PDB file of all heavy atoms in Angstrom:
ATOM      1  N   ASP A 126     -31.024   9.638  11.845  1.00 97.00           N
ATOM      2  CA  ASP A 126     -30.751   9.335  10.486  1.00 97.00           C
ATOM      3  C   ASP A 126     -29.453  10.019  10.170  1.00 97.00           C
ATOM      4  O   ASP A 126     -28.997  10.834  10.923  1.00 97.00           O
ATOM      5  CB  ASP A 126     -31.846   9.849   9.571  1.00 97.00           C
ATOM      6  CG  ASP A 126     -31.875   9.168   8.221  1.00 97.00           C
ATOM      7  OD1 ASP A 126     -30.901   8.535   7.844  1.00 97.00           O
ATOM      8  OD2 ASP A 126     -32.901   9.326   7.464  1.00 97.00           O
ATOM      9  N   CYS A 127     -28.780   9.651   9.068  1.00 96.00           N
ATOM     10  CA  CYS A 127     -27.502  10.374   8.757  1.00 96.00           C
ATOM     11  C   CYS A 127     -27.269  10.257   7.240  1.00 96.00           C
ATOM     12  O   CYS A 127     -27.771   9.405   6.586  1.00 96.00           O
ATOM     13  CB  CYS A 127     -26.332   9.805   9.538  1.00 96.00           C
ATOM     14  SG  CYS A 127     -25.951   8.116   9.243  1.00 96.00           S
ATOM     15  N   ILE A 128     -26.442  11.222   6.782  1.00 93.00           N
ATOM     16  CA  ILE A 128     -26.009  11.174   5.386  1.00 93.00           C
ATOM     17  C   ILE A 128     -24.595  10.494   5.345  1.00 93.00           C
ATOM     18  O   ILE A 128     -23.660  11.042   6.038  1.00 93.00           O
ATOM     19  CB  ILE A 128     -25.899  12.617   4.786  1.00 93.00           C
ATOM     20  CG1 ILE A 128     -27.381  13.169   4.715  1.00 93.00           C
ATOM     21  CG2 ILE A 128     -25.317  12.592   3.425  1.00 93.00           C
ATOM     22  CD1 ILE A 128     -27.459  14.572   4.172  1.00 93.00           C
ATOM     23  N   VAL A 129     -24.480   9.468   4.678  1.00 90.00           N
ATOM     24  CA  VAL A 129     -23.297   8.643   4.633  1.00 90.00           C
ATOM     25  C   VAL A 129     -22.514   8.831   3.299  1.00 90.00           C
ATOM     26  O   VAL A 129     -23.211   8.924   2.250  1.00 90.00           O
ATOM     27  CB  VAL A 129     -23.691   7.175   4.828  1.00 90.00           C
ATOM     28  CG1 VAL A 129     -22.390   6.269   4.887  1.00 90.00           C
ATOM     29  CG2 VAL A 129     -24.438   7.009   6.083  1.00 90.00           C
ATOM     30  N   ARG A 130     -21.233   8.883   3.309  1.00 83.00           N
ATOM     31  CA  ARG A 130     -20.452   9.018   2.144  1.00 83.00           C
ATOM     32  C   ARG A 130     -20.609   7.738   1.270  1.00 83.00           C
ATOM     33  O   ARG A 130     -20.764   6.627   1.771  1.00 83.00           O
ATOM     34  CB  ARG A 130     -19.008   9.318   2.380  1.00 83.00           C
ATOM     35  CG  ARG A 130     -18.192   8.310   3.170  1.00 83.00           C
ATOM     36  CD  ARG A 130     -16.793   8.784   3.392  1.00 83.00           C
ATOM     37  NE  ARG A 130     -16.037   7.844   4.204  1.00 83.00           N
ATOM     38  CZ  ARG A 130     -15.373   6.824   3.674  1.00 83.00           C
ATOM     39  NH1 ARG A 130     -15.348   6.537   2.359  1.00 83.00           N
ATOM     40  NH2 ARG A 130     -14.685   5.935   4.458  1.00 83.00           N
ATOM     41  N   GLY A 131     -20.546   7.917  -0.031  1.00 79.00           N
ATOM     42  CA  GLY A 131     -20.781   6.821  -1.010  1.00 79.00           C
ATOM     43  C   GLY A 131     -19.895   5.613  -0.802  1.00 79.00           C
ATOM     44  O   GLY A 131     -20.329   4.457  -1.019  1.00 79.00           O
ATOM     45  N   GLY A 132     -18.636   5.860  -0.363  1.00 76.00           N
ATOM     46  CA  GLY A 132     -17.705   4.749  -0.251  1.00 76.00           C
ATOM     47  C   GLY A 132     -18.146   3.666   0.691  1.00 76.00           C
ATOM     48  O   GLY A 132     -17.948   2.467   0.528  1.00 76.00           O
ATOM     49  N   LEU A 133     -18.799   4.111   1.752  1.00 75.00           N
ATOM     50  CA  LEU A 133     -19.277   3.156   2.817  1.00 75.00           C
ATOM     51  C   LEU A 133     -20.471   2.309   2.283  1.00 75.00           C
ATOM     52  O   LEU A 133     -20.711   1.226   2.889  1.00 75.00           O
ATOM     53  CB  LEU A 133     -19.747   3.921   4.077  1.00 75.00           C
ATOM     54  CG  LEU A 133     -18.590   4.502   4.953  1.00 75.00           C
ATOM     55  CD1 LEU A 133     -19.156   5.260   6.164  1.00 75.00           C
ATOM     56  CD2 LEU A 133     -17.723   3.337   5.443  1.00 75.00           C
ATOM     57  N   SER A 134     -21.135   2.708   1.270  1.00 66.00           N
ATOM     58  CA  SER A 134     -22.241   1.957   0.720  1.00 66.00           C
ATOM     59  C   SER A 134     -21.702   0.736  -0.049  1.00 66.00           C
ATOM     60  O   SER A 134     -22.491  -0.090  -0.516  1.00 66.00           O
ATOM     61  CB  SER A 134     -23.160   2.783  -0.169  1.00 66.00           C
ATOM     62  OG  SER A 134     -22.430   3.246  -1.346  1.00 66.00           O
ATOM     63  N   ARG A 135     -20.406   0.717  -0.166  1.00 72.00           N
ATOM     64  CA  ARG A 135     -19.796  -0.471  -0.843  1.00 72.00           C
ATOM     65  C   ARG A 135     -18.896  -1.249   0.122  1.00 72.00           C
ATOM     66  O   ARG A 135     -18.074  -2.087  -0.307  1.00 72.00           O
ATOM     67  CB  ARG A 135     -18.906   0.013  -2.071  1.00 72.00           C
ATOM     68  CG  ARG A 135     -19.806   0.695  -3.184  1.00 72.00           C
ATOM     69  CD  ARG A 135     -18.891   1.025  -4.322  1.00 72.00           C
ATOM     70  NE  ARG A 135     -17.899   2.085  -4.018  1.00 72.00           N
ATOM     71  CZ  ARG A 135     -18.151   3.353  -4.004  1.00 72.00           C
ATOM     72  NH1 ARG A 135     -19.279   3.791  -4.318  1.00 72.00           N
ATOM     73  NH2 ARG A 135     -17.151   4.185  -3.690  1.00 72.00           N
ATOM     74  N   SER A 136     -19.180  -1.046   1.418  1.00 76.00           N
ATOM     75  CA  SER A 136     -18.357  -1.731   2.430  1.00 76.00           C
ATOM     76  C   SER A 136     -19.218  -2.803   3.083  1.00 76.00           C
ATOM     77  O   SER A 136     -20.359  -3.105   2.709  1.00 76.00           O
ATOM     78  CB  SER A 136     -17.882  -0.717   3.435  1.00 76.00           C
ATOM     79  OG  SER A 136     -18.962  -0.197   4.191  1.00 76.00           O
ATOM     80  N   VAL A 137     -18.697  -3.436   4.174  1.00 71.00           N
ATOM     81  CA  VAL A 137     -19.374  -4.402   4.955  1.00 71.00           C
ATOM     82  C   VAL A 137     -20.625  -3.846   5.569  1.00 71.00           C
ATOM     83  O   VAL A 137     -21.586  -4.614   5.913  1.00 71.00           O
ATOM     84  CB  VAL A 137     -18.422  -5.029   6.009  1.00 71.00           C
ATOM     85  CG1 VAL A 137     -18.103  -3.927   7.078  1.00 71.00           C
ATOM     86  CG2 VAL A 137     -19.054  -6.247   6.648  1.00 71.00           C
ATOM     87  N   PHE A 138     -20.691  -2.492   5.731  1.00 81.00           N
ATOM     88  CA  PHE A 138     -21.830  -1.821   6.313  1.00 81.00           C
ATOM     89  C   PHE A 138     -22.989  -1.520   5.354  1.00 81.00           C
ATOM     90  O   PHE A 138     -23.996  -0.966   5.735  1.00 81.00           O
ATOM     91  CB  PHE A 138     -21.431  -0.540   7.069  1.00 81.00           C
ATOM     92  CG  PHE A 138     -20.241  -0.734   7.931  1.00 81.00           C
ATOM     93  CD1 PHE A 138     -19.041  -0.186   7.683  1.00 81.00           C
ATOM     94  CD2 PHE A 138     -20.335  -1.529   9.087  1.00 81.00           C
ATOM     95  CE1 PHE A 138     -17.897  -0.379   8.411  1.00 81.00           C
ATOM     96  CE2 PHE A 138     -19.215  -1.691   9.881  1.00 81.00           C
ATOM     97  CZ  PHE A 138     -18.039  -1.145   9.574  1.00 81.00           C
ATOM     98  N   SER A 139     -22.739  -1.856   4.031  1.00 85.00           N
ATOM     99  CA  SER A 139     -23.691  -1.418   3.050  1.00 85.00           C
ATOM    100  C   SER A 139     -25.084  -1.972   3.259  1.00 85.00           C
ATOM    101  O   SER A 139     -26.108  -1.271   2.946  1.00 85.00           O
ATOM    102  CB  SER A 139     -23.206  -1.841   1.656  1.00 85.00           C
ATOM    103  OG  SER A 139     -23.139  -3.319   1.581  1.00 85.00           O
ATOM    104  N   ILE A 140     -25.190  -3.172   3.751  1.00 85.00           N
ATOM    105  CA  ILE A 140     -26.533  -3.794   3.883  1.00 85.00           C
ATOM    106  C   ILE A 140     -27.419  -3.025   4.942  1.00 85.00           C
ATOM    107  O   ILE A 140     -28.627  -3.040   4.912  1.00 85.00           O
ATOM    108  CB  ILE A 140     -26.382  -5.259   4.387  1.00 85.00           C
ATOM    109  CG1 ILE A 140     -27.714  -5.982   4.128  1.00 85.00           C
ATOM    110  CG2 ILE A 140     -25.894  -5.401   5.742  1.00 85.00           C
ATOM    111  CD1 ILE A 140     -27.569  -7.558   4.213  1.00 85.00           C
ATOM    112  N   ILE A 141     -26.724  -2.361   5.864  1.00 91.00           N
ATOM    113  CA  ILE A 141     -27.443  -1.471   6.868  1.00 91.00           C
ATOM    114  C   ILE A 141     -27.694  -0.102   6.209  1.00 91.00           C
ATOM    115  O   ILE A 141     -28.783   0.433   6.294  1.00 91.00           O
ATOM    116  CB  ILE A 141     -26.664  -1.359   8.157  1.00 91.00           C
ATOM    117  CG1 ILE A 141     -26.493  -2.715   8.823  1.00 91.00           C
ATOM    118  CG2 ILE A 141     -27.341  -0.418   9.135  1.00 91.00           C
ATOM    119  CD1 ILE A 141     -25.636  -2.721  10.036  1.00 91.00           C
ATOM    120  N   ILE A 142     -26.588   0.481   5.692  1.00 89.00           N
ATOM    121  CA  ILE A 142     -26.696   1.852   5.167  1.00 89.00           C
ATOM    122  C   ILE A 142     -27.748   2.036   4.163  1.00 89.00           C
ATOM    123  O   ILE A 142     -28.576   2.950   4.196  1.00 89.00           O
ATOM    124  CB  ILE A 142     -25.349   2.252   4.630  1.00 89.00           C
ATOM    125  CG1 ILE A 142     -24.310   2.449   5.734  1.00 89.00           C
ATOM    126  CG2 ILE A 142     -25.458   3.551   3.809  1.00 89.00           C
ATOM    127  CD1 ILE A 142     -22.843   2.582   5.298  1.00 89.00           C
ATOM    128  N   LYS A 143     -27.840   1.073   3.152  1.00 86.00           N
ATOM    129  CA  LYS A 143     -28.798   1.254   2.095  1.00 86.00           C
ATOM    130  C   LYS A 143     -30.236   1.099   2.478  1.00 86.00           C
ATOM    131  O   LYS A 143     -31.133   1.573   1.849  1.00 86.00           O
ATOM    132  CB  LYS A 143     -28.474   0.215   1.001  1.00 86.00           C
ATOM    133  CG  LYS A 143     -27.167   0.471   0.255  1.00 86.00           C
ATOM    134  CD  LYS A 143     -26.863  -0.634  -0.766  1.00 86.00           C
ATOM    135  CE  LYS A 143     -25.573  -0.360  -1.471  1.00 86.00           C
ATOM    136  NZ  LYS A 143     -25.264  -1.407  -2.499  1.00 86.00           N
ATOM    137  N   GLN A 144     -30.482   0.511   3.630  1.00 90.00           N
ATOM    138  CA  GLN A 144     -31.849   0.324   4.151  1.00 90.00           C
ATOM    139  C   GLN A 144     -32.295   1.405   5.133  1.00 90.00           C
ATOM    140  O   GLN A 144     -33.491   1.640   5.227  1.00 90.00           O
ATOM    141  CB  GLN A 144     -32.003  -1.074   4.799  1.00 90.00           C
ATOM    142  CG  GLN A 144     -31.782  -2.243   3.857  1.00 90.00           C
ATOM    143  CD  GLN A 144     -32.098  -3.554   4.574  1.00 90.00           C
ATOM    144  OE1 GLN A 144     -33.282  -3.892   4.795  1.00 90.00           O
ATOM    145  NE2 GLN A 144     -31.039  -4.279   4.834  1.00 90.00           N
ATOM    146  N   LEU A 145     -31.336   1.971   5.805  1.00 92.00           N
ATOM    147  CA  LEU A 145     -31.726   2.903   6.924  1.00 92.00           C
ATOM    148  C   LEU A 145     -31.272   4.339   6.773  1.00 92.00           C
ATOM    149  O   LEU A 145     -31.839   5.242   7.361  1.00 92.00           O
ATOM    150  CB  LEU A 145     -31.136   2.375   8.231  1.00 92.00           C
ATOM    151  CG  LEU A 145     -31.586   0.956   8.675  1.00 92.00           C
ATOM    152  CD1 LEU A 145     -31.006   0.669  10.043  1.00 92.00           C
ATOM    153  CD2 LEU A 145     -33.085   0.878   8.741  1.00 92.00           C
ATOM    154  N   TYR A 146     -30.242   4.587   5.968  1.00 94.00           N
ATOM    155  CA  TYR A 146     -29.648   5.912   5.969  1.00 94.00           C
ATOM    156  C   TYR A 146     -29.566   6.469   4.465  1.00 94.00           C
ATOM    157  O   TYR A 146     -29.861   5.807   3.545  1.00 94.00           O
ATOM    158  CB  TYR A 146     -28.287   5.911   6.591  1.00 94.00           C
ATOM    159  CG  TYR A 146     -28.353   5.346   8.029  1.00 94.00           C
ATOM    160  CD1 TYR A 146     -27.777   4.082   8.367  1.00 94.00           C
ATOM    161  CD2 TYR A 146     -29.024   6.061   9.027  1.00 94.00           C
ATOM    162  CE1 TYR A 146     -27.865   3.568   9.656  1.00 94.00           C
ATOM    163  CE2 TYR A 146     -29.114   5.526  10.282  1.00 94.00           C
ATOM    164  CZ  TYR A 146     -28.534   4.334  10.622  1.00 94.00           C
ATOM    165  OH  TYR A 146     -28.670   3.834  11.882  1.00 94.00           O
ATOM    166  N   LEU A 147     -29.132   7.746   4.372  1.00 92.00           N
ATOM    167  CA  LEU A 147     -29.049   8.412   3.138  1.00 92.00           C
ATOM    168  C   LEU A 147     -27.588   8.411   2.682  1.00 92.00           C
ATOM    169  O   LEU A 147     -26.675   8.669   3.399  1.00 92.00           O
ATOM    170  CB  LEU A 147     -29.538   9.887   3.220  1.00 92.00           C
ATOM    171  CG  LEU A 147     -30.914  10.106   3.862  1.00 92.00           C
ATOM    172  CD1 LEU A 147     -31.251  11.601   3.896  1.00 92.00           C
ATOM    173  CD2 LEU A 147     -31.964   9.311   3.123  1.00 92.00           C
ATOM    174  N   VAL A 148     -27.382   8.114   1.339  1.00 88.00           N
ATOM    175  CA  VAL A 148     -26.058   8.149   0.726  1.00 88.00           C
ATOM    176  C   VAL A 148     -25.838   9.370  -0.087  1.00 88.00           C
ATOM    177  O   VAL A 148     -26.743   9.784  -0.841  1.00 88.00           O
ATOM    178  CB  VAL A 148     -25.917   6.892  -0.153  1.00 88.00           C
ATOM    179  CG1 VAL A 148     -24.460   6.830  -0.747  1.00 88.00           C
ATOM    180  CG2 VAL A 148     -26.140   5.621   0.671  1.00 88.00           C
ATOM    181  N   ASN A 149     -24.689   9.997   0.035  1.00 87.00           N
ATOM    182  CA  ASN A 149     -24.487  11.334  -0.546  1.00 87.00           C
ATOM    183  C   ASN A 149     -24.198  11.261  -2.058  1.00 87.00           C
ATOM    184  O   ASN A 149     -23.867  12.284  -2.684  1.00 87.00           O
ATOM    185  CB  ASN A 149     -23.342  12.063   0.185  1.00 87.00           C
ATOM    186  CG  ASN A 149     -22.021  11.432   0.005  1.00 87.00           C
ATOM    187  OD1 ASN A 149     -21.853  10.422  -0.734  1.00 87.00           O
ATOM    188  ND2 ASN A 149     -20.977  12.044   0.605  1.00 87.00           N
ATOM    189  N   THR A 150     -24.379  10.130  -2.645  1.00 87.00           N
ATOM    190  CA  THR A 150     -24.143  10.047  -4.134  1.00 87.00           C
ATOM    191  C   THR A 150     -25.433  10.301  -4.921  1.00 87.00           C
ATOM    192  O   THR A 150     -25.337  10.369  -6.167  1.00 87.00           O
ATOM    193  CB  THR A 150     -23.554   8.700  -4.507  1.00 87.00           C
ATOM    194  OG1 THR A 150     -24.440   7.639  -3.986  1.00 87.00           O
ATOM    195  CG2 THR A 150     -22.190   8.493  -3.898  1.00 87.00           C
ATOM    196  N   MET A 151     -26.539  10.445  -4.289  1.00 87.00           N
ATOM    197  CA  MET A 151     -27.838  10.677  -5.034  1.00 87.00           C
ATOM    198  C   MET A 151     -27.923  12.128  -5.437  1.00 87.00           C
ATOM    199  O   MET A 151     -27.145  12.977  -5.069  1.00 87.00           O
ATOM    200  CB  MET A 151     -29.022  10.390  -4.090  1.00 87.00           C
ATOM    201  CG  MET A 151     -29.170  11.325  -2.905  1.00 87.00           C
ATOM    202  SD  MET A 151     -30.618  10.846  -1.899  1.00 87.00           S
ATOM    203  CE  MET A 151     -30.034   9.336  -1.130  1.00 87.00           C
ATOM    204  N   GLY A 152     -28.856  12.382  -6.381  1.00 90.00           N
ATOM    205  CA  GLY A 152     -29.051  13.746  -6.912  1.00 90.00           C
ATOM    206  C   GLY A 152     -29.552  14.669  -5.799  1.00 90.00           C
ATOM    207  O   GLY A 152     -30.144  14.302  -4.839  1.00 90.00           O
ATOM    208  N   ILE A 153     -29.283  15.985  -6.012  1.00 92.00           N
ATOM    209  CA  ILE A 153     -29.553  16.975  -4.982  1.00 92.00           C
ATOM    210  C   ILE A 153     -31.054  17.067  -4.643  1.00 92.00           C
ATOM    211  O   ILE A 153     -31.466  17.162  -3.496  1.00 92.00           O
ATOM    212  CB  ILE A 153     -28.994  18.332  -5.339  1.00 92.00           C
ATOM    213  CG1 ILE A 153     -29.056  19.310  -4.150  1.00 92.00           C
ATOM    214  CG2 ILE A 153     -29.674  18.915  -6.591  1.00 92.00           C
ATOM    215  CD1 ILE A 153     -28.242  18.915  -3.000  1.00 92.00           C
ATOM    216  N   GLU A 154     -31.925  17.015  -5.679  1.00 94.00           N
ATOM    217  CA  GLU A 154     -33.331  17.142  -5.476  1.00 94.00           C
ATOM    218  C   GLU A 154     -33.868  15.953  -4.707  1.00 94.00           C
ATOM    219  O   GLU A 154     -34.733  16.069  -3.822  1.00 94.00           O
ATOM    220  CB  GLU A 154     -34.059  17.287  -6.791  1.00 94.00           C
ATOM    221  CG  GLU A 154     -33.768  18.613  -7.470  1.00 94.00           C
ATOM    222  CD  GLU A 154     -34.186  19.852  -6.535  1.00 94.00           C
ATOM    223  OE1 GLU A 154     -35.155  19.802  -5.835  1.00 94.00           O
ATOM    224  OE2 GLU A 154     -33.439  20.877  -6.654  1.00 94.00           O
ATOM    225  N   GLU A 155     -33.307  14.767  -5.033  1.00 95.00           N
ATOM    226  CA  GLU A 155     -33.760  13.535  -4.343  1.00 95.00           C
ATOM    227  C   GLU A 155     -33.238  13.637  -2.900  1.00 95.00           C
ATOM    228  O   GLU A 155     -34.003  13.224  -1.973  1.00 95.00           O
ATOM    229  CB  GLU A 155     -33.127  12.300  -5.041  1.00 95.00           C
ATOM    230  CG  GLU A 155     -33.578  11.000  -4.397  1.00 95.00           C
ATOM    231  CD  GLU A 155     -32.896   9.783  -5.002  1.00 95.00           C
ATOM    232  OE1 GLU A 155     -32.080   9.922  -5.903  1.00 95.00           O
ATOM    233  OE2 GLU A 155     -33.284   8.698  -4.606  1.00 95.00           O
ATOM    234  N   MET A 156     -32.102  14.173  -2.690  1.00 94.00           N
ATOM    235  CA  MET A 156     -31.557  14.329  -1.344  1.00 94.00           C
ATOM    236  C   MET A 156     -32.446  15.252  -0.486  1.00 94.00           C
ATOM    237  O   MET A 156     -32.816  14.946   0.636  1.00 94.00           O
ATOM    238  CB  MET A 156     -30.181  14.859  -1.343  1.00 94.00           C
ATOM    239  CG  MET A 156     -29.503  15.150   0.023  1.00 94.00           C
ATOM    240  SD  MET A 156     -29.177  13.626   0.909  1.00 94.00           S
ATOM    241  CE  MET A 156     -27.707  13.098   0.083  1.00 94.00           C
ATOM    242  N   TYR A 157     -32.858  16.357  -1.109  1.00 96.00           N
ATOM    243  CA  TYR A 157     -33.735  17.245  -0.431  1.00 96.00           C
ATOM    244  C   TYR A 157     -35.070  16.617  -0.045  1.00 96.00           C
ATOM    245  O   TYR A 157     -35.617  16.782   1.066  1.00 96.00           O
ATOM    246  CB  TYR A 157     -34.059  18.506  -1.262  1.00 96.00           C
ATOM    247  CG  TYR A 157     -32.880  19.506  -1.389  1.00 96.00           C
ATOM    248  CD1 TYR A 157     -32.858  20.330  -2.504  1.00 96.00           C
ATOM    249  CD2 TYR A 157     -31.839  19.536  -0.485  1.00 96.00           C
ATOM    250  CE1 TYR A 157     -31.803  21.214  -2.728  1.00 96.00           C
ATOM    251  CE2 TYR A 157     -30.814  20.446  -0.646  1.00 96.00           C
ATOM    252  CZ  TYR A 157     -30.783  21.228  -1.807  1.00 96.00           C
ATOM    253  OH  TYR A 157     -29.753  22.123  -1.939  1.00 96.00           O
ATOM    254  N   ALA A 158     -35.638  15.842  -1.000  1.00 96.00           N
ATOM    255  CA  ALA A 158     -36.934  15.164  -0.747  1.00 96.00           C
ATOM    256  C   ALA A 158     -36.849  14.151   0.374  1.00 96.00           C
ATOM    257  O   ALA A 158     -37.684  14.087   1.270  1.00 96.00           O
ATOM    258  CB  ALA A 158     -37.390  14.524  -2.029  1.00 96.00           C
ATOM    259  N   LEU A 159     -35.779  13.340   0.381  1.00 96.00           N
ATOM    260  CA  LEU A 159     -35.583  12.341   1.377  1.00 96.00           C
ATOM    261  C   LEU A 159     -35.250  12.944   2.795  1.00 96.00           C
ATOM    262  O   LEU A 159     -35.720  12.456   3.804  1.00 96.00           O
ATOM    263  CB  LEU A 159     -34.523  11.327   0.982  1.00 96.00           C
ATOM    264  CG  LEU A 159     -34.801  10.451  -0.225  1.00 96.00           C
ATOM    265  CD1 LEU A 159     -33.643   9.542  -0.591  1.00 96.00           C
ATOM    266  CD2 LEU A 159     -36.082   9.545   0.125  1.00 96.00           C
TER     267      LEU A 159
END
Side-chain angles (χ1 to χ4, degrees):
D126 199 345
C127 64
I128 295 180
V129 182
R130 63 182 176 87
L133 285 176
S134 66
R135 298 184 294 274
S136 70
V137 68
F138 310 111
S139 63
I140 196 166
I141 298 176
I142 290 169
K143 291 179 179 178
Q144 296 185 73
L145 300 182
Y146 304 111
L147 308 182
V148 181
N149 66 1
T150 54
M151 67 180 70
I153 190 65
E154 292 303 324
E155 183 183 6
M156 177 69 75
Y157 289 156
L159 291 176

